Each structure stands twice: as C-alpha cells, then as structure tokens.
Amino acid sequence: MNAFSTPSSAAPSPATDTVPQARFDLIPLLLIAALALGALPLIGSASSWATLTIAGLAMGLIVFVIASGLTLVFGLMDVLNFGHGVFIALGAFVATTVMGAMGGFVASPSLAANLGAVAVAALAGIVSAAALGLVFERVLVRPVYGMHLKQILITMGGMIIGEELIKLVWGPQMIPLQPPESLRGALIVGDVAVEKFRLLAVVVGLLVFAGLLWLLNRTKLGLLIRAGVQDREMVESLGYRIRRLFVAVFVAGSGLAGLGGVLWGLYQQSVIPQIGAQVNTLIFIVIIIGGLGSTLGCFAGALLVGLMANYCGFLAPKAALFSNIALMVAVLLWRPQGLYPVSHR
C-alpha cells in the first residue's frame, strides 16, 4: 500500500465531512410574539388588541422599508448615511405631484385604477430618490469612505441642503397626500377594524423583505457584494468591479428610502419637507435594535418598534414618545450588539 494512501477503514464518514450549520436564532422573533401577547391583558378588549396589532405591524413594515435601505448601505458599504432622510422626503413629495397629476385614477372607484396610481407614484419616488442617491454618493460620500465622523457630518449637511431645495420646489407648507378612493376607510371583520391602506403596506413590506433576502443570499450578485465586503482585493482580482457594485448598492438603498417615503406619506396622509428628518431618529433606533447591517435584524426591530408605538399610544399616550427609546435600551442591555448582529462587525 502506498505510504500516502488512506485505508478504506480510516476514510472519514460523511457525517464528519459535513460543515456544521449555525442554528437559527428564534428568540428575537419570539420576542415579537411575546410583546404582542403581553399587551393583550393590558388592553383588555380582544378587538382593540387585534386592531392595534395589525396597525403596529403595518407601521413596522413601512419603517422596515425605509430602514432597509440604510441597513443595506451600512451593512455592505460601511457608510453611515445620516442624510438618508432626504431620499425619504423626495420620494414622498414626488408621489404628491404624480398622484395629483393622476387625479382621475386616484378618485376612481376601481381598485385596479387606484393600485395603478399608487404603483406609478411609488415608481416615480423610487427613481427620483435613486437618481439623487447616485449624485449623493459621487459628490458627498465617495470622498469620505472609511471616515465615519466625516460621513456623519457631510451627509447631515447634504440632508439639510436637500430639505431646502425641496422647499424651493414644493414650498415649506404641509401638502396632503390622501390614499386613493378604494384604499380609504377600513375593513370590518367582526369587531376588528383594519385600514385598507395598511393591508397594502403589509404586503409591500413583506415583498421587500423577501426580495432582499433572496437577492443577498440566493443570487450571484448578492454573493459578489458580500464577498466584496469581506475581501475587496480578491474579488477585484477576479475581474469584478466592486466599486460599481457598491455604487449600485447605494443607489438601491436610496430607492428603497424613496419607496418608504411614499408609503409613509400615504400612511400619515400628508408630507412636509422635514418628513425625512422626523423619521430618521426612528429608523436609527430600528437598525440599532436589530443589529447594525442586519436585514433580518432590521425586520425584527421594525416590527417591535411598530407594535410598541401603537400599544403605548393606546395605553399611555404621554409615554409613547419615549417608548421606542426605552425599548432600544432594554434590547441593548440584553444584547449589546442587537438582535441579529452581523458577524464581521
């Protein structure tokens, strides 16, 4: 027998060749269910609890759509973009213009026409925010890659300038943004009232979440992006242009913020130039709770924030403003790196 051969009896079994898989952590998702069930005895009425829970999930999924863009940019590019709010505001204001121009479709009793108007407005918001994101990355972000303090300062300055430009175009006043005719009001199921637009928000939020997970984990593009984060030089040596991929990530994150701005404007039924700055604090709470750069963590954190805001708004309105900060503190005391920390951070 050759000295370097391995006896058949010593051959490793398939079990020893198998790479151990990390166990999926269900605890953060169970925390969402625990929060919802824990609120039931405090609220008392099952119908009120169900209405608040659905409203909280809808709000959380809208916040997830907004925050997912920021999570994507930070998680894959390590860029702290405090100017994310300007993309939210631009998407919302573009939607007001588009829906105003489609008045016949918005006022139509046809659900198909109404959904078409919302889809066109959302697409316009995504494209406009993505285009601004391309300019934002090239002019402001590119010179400060790897310098977090400068990123914070320059992107905040970019948001302030963006808000002033929005005021020049649309004015400083509040502009109403009503949902189309067939998406107004609520569906009554037994004693539970469910707003129609919130059901649409739930569907859109779940589609965005599923799409991001599929893109990042099941496609070659996602593999290249994640590989570029881990070892940029190696991926570039294989002939891939990582800079272009990262620019595409920034543009995609900006587009998601624009979509979130459209949904948030319709949710609030009005828009103001400061709408992005107002939501900025909320989305940073979400990504800190979830774990910086984690898409799944962002999803779980957004649902927790949405439920907490609705339950506290009903039970203790004066404490509602501080409820999400208290939630963030509690989560960080339990898990300092967030619910689903990213391993390479």
Side-chain angles (χ1 to χ4, degrees):
M1 181 181 291
N2 190 310
F4 296 100
S5 62
T6 303
S8 57
S9 59
S13 65
T16 59
D17 282 343
T18 304
V19 177
Q21 297 294 322
R23 282 180 142 185
F24 179 74
D25 187 2
L26 276 173
I27 295 178
L29 299 181
L30 294 176
L31 181 63
I32 300 171
L35 174 62
L37 293 176
L40 177 57
L42 298 175
I43 295 170
S45 169
S47 59
S48 297
W49 173 82
T51 299
L52 289 170
T53 300
I54 295 171
L57 293 175
M59 176 185 172
L61 285 166
I62 294 174
V63 172
F64 165 73
V65 173
I66 300 172
S68 62
L70 186 59
T71 298
L72 195 65
V73 169
F74 182 76
L76 299 179
M77 299 176 64
D78 199 26
V79 172
L80 284 171
N81 181 16
F82 274 63
H84 196 70
V86 71
F87 309 129
I88 301 168
L90 181 62
F93 273 93
V94 167
T96 62
T97 301
V98 171
M99 293 190 72
M102 300 180 67
F105 291 91
V106 173
S108 170
S110 169
L111 177 60
N114 292 166
L115 291 176
V118 173
V120 172
L123 181 60
I126 292 170
V127 171
S128 58
L132 179 61
L134 180 61
V135 176
F136 210 81
E137 191 276 337
R138 292 199 171 186
V139 176
L140 298 180
V141 176
R142 186 170 296 183
V144 292
Y145 276 130
M147 297 177 279
H148 286 163
L149 179 58
K150 290 184 178 180
Q151 288 170 4
I152 294 171
L153 295 175
I154 200 167
T155 54
M156 285 187 69
M159 185 175 70
I160 293 170
I161 294 171
E163 284 182 1
E164 296 304 314
L165 291 175
I166 286 173
K167 291 178 184 177
L168 285 176
V169 177
W170 283 279
Q173 71 280 1
M174 182 182 71
I175 299 177
L177 181 58
Q178 294 285 338
E181 187 64 32
S182 60
L183 295 178
R184 298 176 190 173
L187 295 173
I188 307 299
V189 182
D191 294 329
V192 179
V194 182
E195 290 188 22
K196 296 176 184 177
F197 175 72
R198 297 193 183 193
L199 290 177
L200 176 63
V202 168
V203 173
V204 173
L206 291 176
L207 287 175
V208 170
F209 176 59
L212 283 175
L213 289 184
W214 173 78
L215 175 68
L216 294 175
N217 299 307
R218 299 292 181 181
T219 67
K220 182 179 179 181
L221 179 61
L223 176 63
L224 287 174
I225 293 172
R226 289 185 289 113
V229 172
Q230 296 291 339
D231 194 336
R232 178 170 181 163
E233 291 78 11
M234 177 62 71
V235 177
E236 286 180 337
S237 69
L238 296 174
Y240 296 102
R241 298 184 178 181
I242 292 299
R243 176 172 294 236
R244 288 188 179 182
L245 284 175
F246 281 3
V247 171
V249 168
F250 195 93
V251 170
S254 304
L256 285 172
L259 173 61
V262 176
L263 294 174
W264 190 257
L266 288 167
Y267 177 79
Q268 298 286 341
Q269 299 189 12
S270 63
V271 296
I272 57 174
Q274 297 81 19
I275 185 173
Q278 290 175 348
V279 182
N280 246 6
T281 302
L282 193 61
I283 61 178
F284 273 100
I285 289 175
V286 165
I287 65 173
I288 290 170
I289 288 175
L292 297 176
S294 169
T295 300
L296 180 58
C298 178
F299 179 77
L303 294 184
L304 284 171
V305 163
L307 291 173
M308 179 67 77
N310 278 267
Y311 293 148
C312 284
F314 178 81
L315 295 169
K318 292 183 179 179
L321 292 174
F322 308 100
S323 60
N324 287 317
I325 296 176
L327 174 65
M328 179 181 70
V329 171
V331 169
L332 292 181
L333 286 174
W334 172 45
R335 291 191 172 184
Q337 293 185 325
L339 297 176
Y340 287 104
V342 177
S343 58
H344 68 269
R345 296 218 172 275

